[in-house]
Structures are given as C-alpha cells and as structure tokens.
Amino acid sequence: MDLRRHVFVCTNRRPPGDPKGCCAGKAAELVLDAFKRELAQRGLKGPGQIRANSSGCLGTCALGVSVVVYPEGVWYGGVQPQDVLEIVDRHLVGGEPVERLRITV
C-alpha cells in the first residue's frame, strides 16, 4: 500500500512503576483514536493517503506518548489527545513538523 504518510502511535504497556515508562498508561489509545477520527473526518484516510496505527514499543516510552511519522522519520514525545489536531494540521497536511513536540532518537 502506497501512503503519503504513516503515523505510528506507541501503545506499549508495562507494569506500573517500570522505570522505562509506559505509553499505554499515558493515554496512548486516546491519542491513536484522535488521529484515526481526525483523518477520517478530513477524508485523509485510505489508499494513497495517511494511515494511523498502533505500535509496540518505539523505545521512547519514558518520553511518551511516542509517535513517529514516516516517510520523514519525525518523532514526537509527550503527545496528548489535544495535540493531535495541531500535528494533523501543521505536519500531516501542511508538511511542517510540530517542533514543540519533537524528540531526538
């Protein structure tokens, strides 16, 4: 499947108190649902468009909720459901990453 962009949202779950952290415990499912809902509402979901998927551990759970956008390879950390609209508007549609949420891996 050829996609314009592919968004992966870490939904990894670890036991409470794990020093690596846990994206699932930081509202990862809500973030994923917000991406899917926003993309569908804008007609951006489907072949040749943008797809949002859950992901296992991306290795940055301490900075989670972690999100990575391909093909650019832009990583975001600390993403909350209220950040999704900005990421969709500025990055997925406008092509400009949201610097305040970017992380370096």
Side-chain angles (χ1 to χ4, degrees):
M1 177 186 306
D2 224 5
L3 295 169
R4 236 172 54 196
R5 290 196 169 86
H6 203 159
V7 179
F8 292 95
V9 178
C10 177
T11 57
N12 188 52
R13 182 172 305 280
R14 288 195 176 96
D18 189 295
K20 292 182 179 178
C22 170
C23 288
K26 298 174 184 169
E29 289 294 335
L30 295 175
V31 170
L32 178 60
D33 290 345
F35 270 112
K36 288 183 174 188
R37 183 175 50 255
E38 192 63 31
L39 293 173
Q41 286 176 351
R42 292 176 183 227
L44 296 171
K45 196 175 171 182
Q49 294 291 323
I50 302 169
R51 184 171 179 173
N53 286 94
S54 65
S55 168
C57 186
L58 295 171
T60 56
C61 288
L63 304 173
V65 171
S66 300
V67 174
V68 63
V69 178
Y70 288 108
E72 298 99 322
V74 171
W75 289 71
Y76 293 114
V79 178
Q80 295 298 305
Q82 62 267 24
D83 298 317
V84 170
L85 182 60
E86 183 179 7
I87 294 171
V88 171
D89 280 340
R90 290 186 49 207
H91 186 173
L92 302 183
V93 173
E96 176 188 339
V98 179
E99 292 301 324
R100 71 179 181 83
L101 296 169
R102 278 185 92 166
I103 58 174
T104 303
V105 292

